[in-house]
Amino acid sequence: MLLITFTDRIGSGLWASVSVLYFTYVSGLSIAQVGTLAAISGAVGIAGAPLGGRIADRFPLTRILIALQLLRATASFALLTTDHYLPLLAISAVGSLGDRASSVLTKLYATRIAGPARVRYQAVNRTASNAGWALGGLAAAAALTLGTTTAYRWLLAGDGLSFLAIALLTLTCAEPPSSSRLAADARTTPRKVRPASPWRDRMYLAFVATETILFLDDSVFQIGLPLWIAHTEGVPHGLAPLLLVLNNVMVVALQVPLARYGTTTAAARKLLVPLSAASAAGGITMALSATGGAAQAICLLTASAALFTLAEMLHAVASWELSVTLAPDTAQGAYLGVHGLAQSGQRSLGPLAVTAAIATGPLGWTVFGATIAATCALQHRLVRDRLPRSPLSVPPVTVSEH
């Protein structure tokens, strides 16, 4: 599955960095049409997470993943067949639906196959993801030096071919235990009865709402830092991509080592404290970057990027463990599908939040960091009563169960 993630992100890196340029220069869409296409396809994609999770509780997981990869491949190749707006909109929406569903089911696969090592497994998986994304982005940057329509089309075709490769690789993956099997194994340990549907579980929905805020670090790197740099006098615009490189390098180097601090539910909850501090400090250093000269601004922006990256990694560890622990064994797919709405919602809320911070000035970034910090405190209290009393993140295994 790690090779699958790596291949997936290479393809995504090829396409994500040039999609806006493709629709603009190859398909000939206007700025308004490109923006509307991205917004609508993103909105449709939101349904992919809960829909995929619900289906995964009823059918073999690997078969669903193969079907989703074939759907994503079909959408990618279909984009090559037309330059008309409405077909492009429909095809992009279908691809977005498959992307979000695939993301959630990949996490569910890791949860089922890795058992008590799921946090470390997800950390390694995320490292592979960042490495693949960086490689795909570098390949796309090299191809774009040609500046031809053919180069754009080959990048999109490369994305589609990556999905076909993933589907073939998934055929070699073992089917993980189903949710019903996991629930049967867990009956040896008494557990609190929880709602079967995440939509009726108010506590879990509140947890997902707080997660939406904690995922805002993604918009910091995609939108916030580049725009802030562009409006900070004396700071070279080339710093923005370098800070993205710093983000990727830190994740590749540190995500796995940090995972050992969140291998139990209690430890994962405690990570919300340093996560809160890193987020607040990131906002403050971003604000201070506008108060001095160019050299000071560059140093502070680099420090802010490092702090927000640390927050991102800590949140990844805590989020993986808590989102699974708070879900009943019999409905893990449905619950993780709803949890996937947090990232989808961030894609809509995030750009608004960071542009509001930029428009407000230094105070805006201070409030931005403080808001994430306060949300950490809220989530820390929110999940307290629902975490298992045992310090282990999974039910203990007896000799008879081997």
Side-chain angles (χ1 to χ4, degrees):
M1 187 56 70
L2 296 176
L3 179 58
I4 289 174
T5 297
F6 183 69
T7 306
D8 186 352
R9 302 314 286 175
I10 289 177
S12 297
L14 289 174
W15 172 240
S17 57
V18 303
S19 59
V20 171
L21 299 176
Y22 178 91
F23 290 129
T24 301
Y25 296 115
V26 178
S27 300
L29 301 185
S30 67
I31 294 176
Q33 286 177 319
V34 173
T36 304
L37 183 147
I40 294 178
S41 61
V44 173
I46 291 176
L51 180 62
R54 178 64 69 176
I55 294 174
D57 283 332
R58 291 167 169 75
F59 300 98
L61 187 53
T62 52
R63 294 181 187 178
I64 303 172
L65 282 169
I66 291 171
L68 287 172
Q69 306 311 342
L70 294 176
L71 176 66
R72 298 168 79 192
T74 301
S76 293
F77 290 126
L79 290 174
L80 293 168
T81 65
T82 182
D83 290 329
H84 296 289
Y85 178 65
L86 289 180
L88 288 174
L89 176 60
I91 295 167
S92 296
V94 171
S96 180
L97 190 75
D99 286 343
R100 299 311 305 157
S102 174
S103 177
V104 168
L105 296 192
T106 299
K107 176 181 178 180
L108 179 60
Y109 184 95
T111 298
R112 291 180 178 178
I113 206 74
R118 60 174 173 257
V119 172
R120 179 174 174 80
Y121 184 101
Q122 283 280 24
V124 176
N125 191 68
R126 190 163 187 265
T127 300
S129 175
N130 276 264
W133 184 278
L135 183 59
L138 289 173
L144 287 183
T145 59
L146 299 175
T148 64
T149 297
T150 301
Y152 281 108
R153 292 188 181 278
W154 272 112
L155 289 173
L156 177 53
D159 189 31
L161 289 172
S162 73
F163 298 140
L164 291 180
I166 294 168
L168 291 175
L169 288 171
T170 305
L171 286 172
T172 67
C173 292
E175 178 67 25
S178 65
S179 59
S180 58
R181 169 67 182 278
L182 291 172
D185 291 343
R187 287 191 190 110
T188 57
T189 300
R191 300 193 64 175
K192 185 187 296 185
V193 177
R194 300 172 181 167
S197 170
W199 299 107
R200 293 194 297 269
D201 190 336
R202 294 181 180 178
M203 182 270 152
Y204 199 83
L205 292 177
F207 169 72
V208 172
T210 60
E211 285 283 271
T212 303
I213 304 299
L214 299 187
F215 275 119
L216 287 178
D217 56 76
D218 184 59
S219 290
V220 171
F221 287 96
Q222 296 297 324
I223 300 172
L225 273 169
L227 283 179
W228 187 248
I229 289 171
H231 291 83
T232 302
E233 186 176 353
V235 176
H237 292 180
L239 180 64
L242 291 178
L243 294 182
L244 284 175
V245 171
L246 173 65
N247 172 264
N248 276 277
V249 169
M250 286 185 64
V251 171
V252 170
L254 300 175
Q255 187 68 79
V256 173
L258 283 174
R260 71 174 183 265
Y261 297 106
T263 54
T264 68
T265 52
R269 178 172 175 257
K270 290 179 181 178
L271 287 180
L272 292 170
V273 177
L275 167 57
S276 174
S279 299
I284 292 172
T285 51
M286 188 80 87
L288 292 175
S289 68
T291 62
Q296 177 181 321
I298 291 173
C299 291
L300 288 170
L301 286 169
T302 303
S304 182
L307 286 165
F308 275 119
T309 300
L310 176 61
E312 173 190 337
M313 293 186 292
L314 291 173
H315 176 236
V317 175
S319 179
W320 293 330
E321 177 67 12
L322 294 177
S323 61
V324 174
T325 305
L326 295 173
D329 295 318
T330 55
Q332 277 188 346
Y335 271 69
L336 291 181
V338 170
H339 182 261
L341 292 175
Q343 286 181 300
S344 300
Q346 185 279 143
R347 293 186 177 186
S348 297
L349 176 64
L352 296 176
V354 296
T355 52
I358 292 171
T360 308
L363 177 61
W365 280 115
T366 302
V367 172
F368 180 88
T371 300
I372 297 179
T375 304
C376 290
L378 176 61
Q379 186 180 106
H380 189 272
R381 180 176 179 82
L382 181 68
V383 304
R384 179 183 57 190
D385 295 333
R386 275 279 291 271
L387 295 181
R389 294 182 180 180
S390 168
L392 296 175
S393 61
V394 293
V397 179
T398 64
V399 173
S400 62
E401 289 177 306
H402 283 289

